[in-house]
Amino acid sequence: MTLEFITATGKLEEQDAECIVASAFEGKLSPDAERIDRLLNGEISAAMKRKEFEGKSGSLMVLRTLGKLKARKIIILGLGKEKDYSKQIAESAAATAFQAVKNDCESIAFKVSHSDLPAVVGTAIVCSYDFQEWKTVERKEQKLRKVSFVFQTQDEAKKAATAIGQARIVANAQNYCRELNNSNPATATPAFIAEQAQKLDGGKIRVEVWGMEQLKKKGYNAIVSVGKGSINEPKLILMEYKGGKPGDKPYAIVGKGVCFDTGGLDLKPGKYMNFMQYDKSGACAVIATIKAIKELELPVNVVAIAPMVENMPSGGSYKPGDFIKTASGKTIEITNTDAEGRVILSDALYHATTLKPKGIIDLATLTGACVVALGTHAAGLMTNNAQFAEKVKSAAHESGERVWELPMWREYEDLVKSDIADVHNADESPDAGAIEGGWFLRSFVPDEIPWVHLDIAGTANVEHPTSTFRAGATGWGVKLLTEFFKKQAGK
Ligand code: BES
Ligand code: MN
Ligand code: ZN
């Protein structure tokens, strides 16, 4: 299913679309909505007077035009209080509109500002993704095919076309990330994800995959240790996008790839094991970002590193009490096999440092503690370099994918110190769990290399459908990372 995006000029209400979308802030119709109100004999303002529709954020009013307009349907989207307007509100309002028409109308027309345009295009594509592989009855075919954006001038419409093209690439990559992550966990093993990544090989992308044998030979014992408990062997996915100058140092993006996290021998209790197929969200996001930046032809060099394992309990599993000599030479005392993400990332981050990168950004569904702290609306950001973090924060802001910084004061480093080895992977105390995870990772990155850790445990998937997402993976991080590289490329 591909959506067609059209740019048009003229009045919104004169567009040739089945449904026309206008908006209202609380108690205040937009100029377009006011004109439409007049054409509909004041029905909208009357509903507002009766407080049937007040323009609250998340609300909408649907009207039939009964022949008074070309369009069959009018939607007035509530945007909430004007002073509270944000990218997130624009996005969720657009999502509300798409969900309301996607199985009912073939075409829809909008008027949006240039700053909201990418978010609305992206939302249209993200809302159209419906993973139905496992539905054998009640499969629905989306009706919506055509989305028009209306501008004042030809010039503006032309400018919008480029923005639409770019937003389409990013949103398609986000859906690709979701599709990969939503795959049946019964078959989405490290080897399966690696095969999908290998399909992207070609042109400016090179993909390499290391299996058990090579990981052992290279001394990547942290990945080996976590991976050996499963009958499905671990893989290390290494992807390289060379869009920049040859010899120009790359950025490294590192993604946690736990295809399923049972906790290992420290088995997760009951409900905590649900949704642990999404413990590979970081890996899926970095793979999808490589796809996006290639299609955008960004002049940057980027490597993606995704250690893939299944964390399973078995006779071959790593155990609490084990010591591991990691690829970096540093040693880990295993105190909890459920803190496996940081263990595999220690080797992956080490691998990144061997490339002398300009900076490293890792994405990991690392801790439940981060979900407790920030919920599902922001990822936790931790860093060893405030300047580098500023760049990531600004990309986060532009992309609408929110991050919130947690402190990395030296005092917190004690949380990862082991009596016997260099570090342990889990402290006895549950205090500051997200920061503890951050410090563990930081101990594998030299201070000279700018590094940002994003704990995406709360943002990577939704348990219940939202206006934007079906239940499952959200593809969080693809927009943020792509925006970051756009900025680095000066685009
Ligand atoms: N994958 C989990 C973290 C997680 C929890 C992601 C909830 C998404 C939702 C991670 O591997 C884990 O188990 N972390 C432990 C760490 C602890 C043992 C130090 C946790 O958060 O409880
Ligand atoms: Mn775990
Ligand atoms: Zn995990």
Side-chain angles (χ1 to χ4, degrees), residues 176 196-202 205 207 239 287 291 294:
Y176 163 86
Q196 305 311 306
Q198 262 160 337
K199 288 187 189 161
L200 299 177
D201 189 288
I205 298 179
V207 183
M239 302 176 83
I287 295 168
K291 179 175 152 64
K294 176 202 175 171

Side-chain angles (χ1 to χ4, degrees), residues 381-403:
L381 180 150
M382 283 148 267
T383 187
N384 66 357
N385 184 311
Q387 261 184 345
F388 187 58
E390 269 322 305
K391 293 184 184 160
V392 176
K393 284 184 206 171
S394 120
H397 181 76
E398 287 294 311
S399 71
E401 292 186 321
R402 285 175 162 139
V403 298

Side-chain angles (χ1 to χ4, degrees), residues 222 266 318-326 330-337 339 342-343 346 415-428 436 440 444:
D266 286 301
Y318 82 136
K319 306 177 294 297
D322 282 359
F323 297 108
I324 301 172
K325 189 159 183 88
T326 66
K330 279 197 161 205
T331 58
I332 305 173
E333 177 194 2
I334 298 303
T335 40
N336 189 326
T337 62
R342 60 197 74 180
V343 177
S346 70
L415 293 169
V416 301
K417 287 192 176 138
S418 159
D419 291 335
I420 312 160
D422 296 331
V423 287
H424 61 210
N425 75 331
D427 195 56
E428 287 159 51
E436 175 193 324
F440 182 97
F444 290 88

Side-chain angles (χ1 to χ4, degrees), residues 7 49 63 80 118 122 150 210 219 222 231 237 278 302 322 329-330 345-346 355 388 416 436 443 445 449 459:
T7 55
K49 260 196 207 104
L63 297 110
V150 186
W210 296 3
I231 54 170
I237 302 173
Y278 303 120
V302 181
D322 282 359
K330 279 197 161 205
L345 286 169
S346 70
L355 307 170
F388 187 58
V416 301
E436 175 193 324
S443 70
V445 182
I449 302 179
T459 57

Side-chain angles (χ1 to χ4, degrees), residues 24-29 43-55 61:
F25 286 114
E26 265 182 45
K28 186 178 155 209
L29 292 174
E43 261 206 67
I44 306 169
S45 42
M48 277 184 114
K49 260 196 207 104
R50 291 194 301 270
K51 299 216 184 282
E52 257 173 54
F53 173 77
E54 296 169 278
M61 176 159 69

Side-chain angles (χ1 to χ4, degrees), residues 353-366:
T353 66
T354 64
L355 307 170
K356 305 260 176 312
K358 285 185 183 163
I360 303 174
I361 304 173
D362 79 66
L363 275 75
T365 45
L366 205 70

Side-chain angles (χ1 to χ4, degrees), residues 256 261 268 276 279 336 338-340 342 365-368 426 457:
K256 170 176 172 181
D261 182 10
K268 282 184 185 291
M276 280 303 142
D279 212 18
N336 189 326
D338 197 11
E340 82 299 335
R342 60 197 74 180
T365 45
L366 205 70
T367 66

Side-chain angles (χ1 to χ4, degrees), residues 137-445:
V137 289
E138 287 180 11
R139 271 202 196 202
K140 281 189 217 118
E141 188 60 44
Q142 173 170 322
K143 224 169 161 189
L144 184 66
R145 286 276 176 278
K146 227 163 93 175
V147 182
S148 310
F149 294 108
V150 186
F151 296 95
Q152 305 282 12
T153 63
Q154 280 291 348
D155 210 40
E156 276 185 300
K158 227 199 220 142
K159 226 169 68 195
T162 320
I164 292 172
Q166 294 197 359
R168 183 200 280 279
I169 289 176
V170 180
N172 281 339
Q174 188 182 351
N175 279 352
Y176 163 86
C177 174
R178 297 165 74 199
E179 178 90 357
L180 200 59
N181 207 358
N182 284 334
S183 316
N184 181 6
T187 47
T189 58
F192 172 86
I193 302 294
E195 270 167 39
Q196 305 311 306
Q198 262 160 337
K199 288 187 189 161
L200 299 177
D201 189 288
K204 290 182 175 159
I205 298 179
R206 284 216 353 92
V207 183
E208 202 183 316
V209 177
W210 296 3
M212 189 57 132
E213 212 179 310
Q214 202 159 2
L215 288 165
K216 278 185 179 160
K217 212 166 67 202
K218 299 269 190 183
Y220 282 42
N221 298 321
I223 299 173
V224 169
S225 296
V226 179
K228 73 195 171 112
S230 172
I231 54 170
N232 301 309
E233 71 163 45
K235 303 278 182 194
L236 178 62
I237 302 173
L238 302 169
M239 302 176 83
E240 195 177 27
Y241 167 70
K242 281 199 163 149
K245 292 195 198 82
D248 205 9
K249 291 282 177 242
Y251 285 97
I253 48 179
V254 178
K256 170 176 172 181
V258 177
C259 291
F260 198 86
D261 182 10
T262 65
L265 290 173
D266 286 301
L267 197 64
K268 282 184 185 291
K271 64 175 181 148
Y272 291 98
M273 211 187 289
N274 288 349
F275 310 115
M276 280 303 142
Q277 65 269 39
Y278 303 120
D279 212 18
K280 60 184 179 312
S281 297
C284 295
V286 300
I287 295 168
T289 299
I290 294 289
K291 179 175 152 64
I293 61 178
K294 176 202 175 171
E295 289 174 11
L296 291 170
E297 300 179 357
L298 295 184
V300 285
N301 293 333
V302 181
V303 292
I305 302 168
M308 308 301 304
V309 297
E310 273 182 349
N311 188 23
M312 301 294 276
S314 79
S317 297
Y318 82 136
K319 306 177 294 297
D322 282 359
F323 297 108
I324 301 172
K325 189 159 183 88
T326 66
S328 70
K330 279 197 161 205
T331 58
I332 305 173
E333 177 194 2
I334 298 303
T335 40
N336 189 326
T337 62
D338 197 11
E340 82 299 335
R342 60 197 74 180
V343 177
I344 61 170
L345 286 169
S346 70
D347 277 352
L349 288 168
Y350 165 74
H351 186 84
T353 66
T354 64
L355 307 170
K356 305 260 176 312
K358 285 185 183 163
I360 303 174
I361 304 173
D362 79 66
L363 275 75
T365 45
L366 205 70
T367 66
C370 194
V371 192
V372 173
L374 299 174
T376 57
H377 299 296
L381 180 150
M382 283 148 267
T383 187
N384 66 357
N385 184 311
Q387 261 184 345
F388 187 58
E390 269 322 305
K391 293 184 184 160
V392 176
K393 284 184 206 171
S394 120
H397 181 76
E398 287 294 311
S399 71
E401 292 186 321
R402 285 175 162 139
V403 298
W404 195 256
E405 187 166 4
L406 301 176
M408 291 288 277
W409 295 308
R410 284 278 164 190
E411 286 80 356
Y412 287 112
E413 194 180 358
D414 291 346
L415 293 169
V416 301
K417 287 192 176 138
S418 159
D419 291 335
I420 312 160
D422 296 331
V423 287
H424 61 210
N425 75 331
D427 195 56
E428 287 159 51
S429 145
D431 290 3
I435 300 173
E436 175 193 324
W439 258 111
F440 182 97
L441 299 180
R442 180 169 174 178
S443 70
F444 290 88
V445 182

